[in-house]
Amino acid sequence: NLVSRINDYDTKHLALMLPFRLNRVEFDSISETKRSIEKDPYLDASLDFYSGVLMAIDSLKKLGLSIKLDVYDTNYQPTTVSRILADTNFENVDAVIGTLTTKNFNVVANELRKYNVPVVSPIGTKIKLHDNVFQSRPSDDLLKSRIIDFVKNDTLPRNILILADSKNMAVANELKREFNASTIVFSRKNKEGKDDYFVTKEDIEAALKPGRNIVFLETQNESFISGATSILAALNLKENPEEPEMEKVEVLLTTTRFNGAFEGDEVDNMHLSKLHFTFATSSKSYSEEDNYAFVKNYRKKYNITPGRRAVKGFDLTMDVVLRMVSSEDLFMSINSAPLTAYVENKFAYKKKLFGGYYNEAVYLVKYEDLKLVEITQ
């Protein structure tokens, strides 16, 4: 918590670049404006993130801090970004947050290197880590290595099963190398040799063993997840009436890459909860019991519960500003504030030997009683 370490009350100058694409919005009527927001994913994402940034600015003002915020609409166009950079003097800007797209972010970061202006990426991981870049979202490779390490550090006896489709063959084989005694079961294929995105109960049952089983489910297909988790949940701790004295099969589910398919409508959260589904993530979900002032204030202002992008906008802006006002600048804060945590996100930046800064703070979470809870190690 950096609030107690604030020592600089000079006005901080932030620039925010987001692809609102306001040139595409029809402002003549409220209904047309609403339709634009609903139809344009970039405008929707930008407004969500921006609402969180505004809440952070308000919170920082209450701490006695002064923020000058310039907001730019990149239109999701490299030409617009280039024009903004050409027409604006960024030399005295303390930090830039954005853009939301990799290509435009790289253009901004590369141009502002000459002024040594820190540029913070809100969501991207496939960006060029110039020496002025802060990658706030942990990379997929880091998330994967954390969950592998978590399973490796589990000293209890266990059997490892890997369920995967053909698109995830590489990660399945990587897991096989990490856990030599593991078994891989690939998705069934149709007559044309393409994935049918399902495995049978018999496929899974043959690979499970009495006692503890850790199952890696590697897919981005919602139907595959739905079918596999349904079968696994049914087999988990099921008694064998023919051999009641035999040890039950216990199933713990995990994945190296949590993605939107696991949150799809077809996937039953009861199954995920029964399987104690565990994964590494860049952000945890806040709980209603956490009693965050941010959530209450957001609801009061916008009459809606903040989504993940709004929370990221809040957390990231709070972190960037509080690092600057408690250290000499954002770069120096890496040493003086090695780890910070907010509503859903935490930040622990490390510098690449030749390049910029990447966030290595990762949460391990699991489903328990239909809630996502953090695993403390």
Side-chain angles (χ1 to χ4, degrees), residues 52-88:
V53 173
L54 292 179
M55 294 298 295
I57 298 296
D58 188 56
S59 296
L60 292 163
K61 283 181 180 177
K62 290 174 182 174
L63 294 173
L65 299 173
S66 173
I67 314 296
K68 181 178 187 290
L69 178 68
D70 297 333
V71 184
Y72 298 93
D73 181 3
T74 66
N75 287 330
Y76 188 54
Q77 292 291 335
T79 52
T80 304
V81 172
S82 297
R83 188 168 66 250
I84 292 168
L85 292 169
D87 295 347
T88 312

Side-chain angles (χ1 to χ4, degrees), residues 42-294:
Y42 294 101
L43 175 57
D44 183 36
S46 297
L47 288 174
D48 251 5
F49 189 85
Y50 182 47
S51 68
V53 173
L54 292 179
M55 294 298 295
I57 298 296
D58 188 56
S59 296
L60 292 163
K61 283 181 180 177
K62 290 174 182 174
L63 294 173
L65 299 173
S66 173
I67 314 296
K68 181 178 187 290
L69 178 68
D70 297 333
V71 184
Y72 298 93
D73 181 3
T74 66
N75 287 330
Y76 188 54
Q77 292 291 335
T79 52
T80 304
V81 172
S82 297
R83 188 168 66 250
I84 292 168
L85 292 169
D87 295 347
T88 312
N89 182 9
F90 282 91
E91 194 169 352
N92 296 316
V93 172
D94 293 298
V96 174
I97 298 175
T99 65
L100 297 186
T101 54
T102 302
K103 187 175 182 180
N104 288 337
F105 180 88
N106 289 335
V107 171
V108 174
N110 187 53
E111 176 64 24
L112 298 186
R113 288 171 74 189
K114 60 188 176 190
Y115 303 126
N116 201 32
V117 173
V119 184
V120 187
S121 168
I123 57 172
T125 59
K126 295 180 179 178
I127 56 176
K128 292 180 181 175
L129 270 186
H130 297 303
D131 47 17
N132 63 327
V133 166
F134 286 75
Q135 180 180 298
S136 71
R137 183 179 177 274
S139 69
D140 290 340
D141 284 343
L142 180 60
L143 297 174
K144 179 171 64 178
S145 67
R146 286 296 164 86
I147 199 67
I148 289 173
D149 289 344
F150 175 71
V151 174
K152 278 186 173 179
N153 292 333
D154 180 0
T155 55
L156 295 173
R158 73 274 197 273
N159 172 51
I160 305 285
L161 170 61
I162 303 156
L163 299 178
D165 55 35
S166 58
K167 290 180 181 176
N168 289 272
M169 195 176 290
V171 72
N173 291 329
E174 183 182 344
L175 287 168
K176 177 68 177 174
R177 289 192 294 272
E178 295 284 353
F179 304 100
N180 294 324
S182 62
T183 303
I184 300 178
V185 175
F186 283 111
S187 164
R188 293 280 184 125
K189 290 182 166 52
N190 59 24
K191 291 178 181 177
E192 288 77 40
K194 295 181 180 178
D195 264 321
D196 251 351
Y197 296 106
F198 83 96
V199 285
T200 67
K201 180 186 174 188
E202 291 71 27
D203 292 336
I204 293 177
E205 214 165 9
L208 295 175
K209 295 181 180 178
R212 212 150 162 275
N213 293 263
I214 297 178
V215 179
F216 284 91
L217 182 50
E218 303 301 324
T219 183
Q220 290 80 46
N221 184 276
E222 191 176 327
S223 295
F224 190 19
I225 295 170
S226 175
T229 53
S230 177
I231 295 168
L232 290 167
L235 294 173
N236 186 34
L237 300 176
K238 181 184 176 183
E239 278 193 3
N240 185 345
E242 295 178 7
E243 299 178 80
E245 75 285 349
M246 183 177 283
E247 189 178 6
K248 294 177 185 175
V249 170
E250 179 188 1
V251 181
L252 299 172
L253 183 67
T254 187
T255 185
T256 62
R257 187 181 175 191
F258 180 76
N259 57 79
F262 285 94
E263 299 177 293
D265 292 338
E266 291 182 44
V267 180
D268 191 333
N269 283 344
M270 291 282 287
H271 294 156
L272 296 180
S273 196
K274 189 176 179 181
L275 297 167
H276 296 287
F277 178 43
T278 301
F279 57 94
T281 178
S282 58
S283 63
K284 64 173 184 175
S285 295
Y286 69 84
S287 139
E288 295 294 324
E289 292 84 47
D290 288 338
N291 203 27
Y292 283 111
F294 159 71

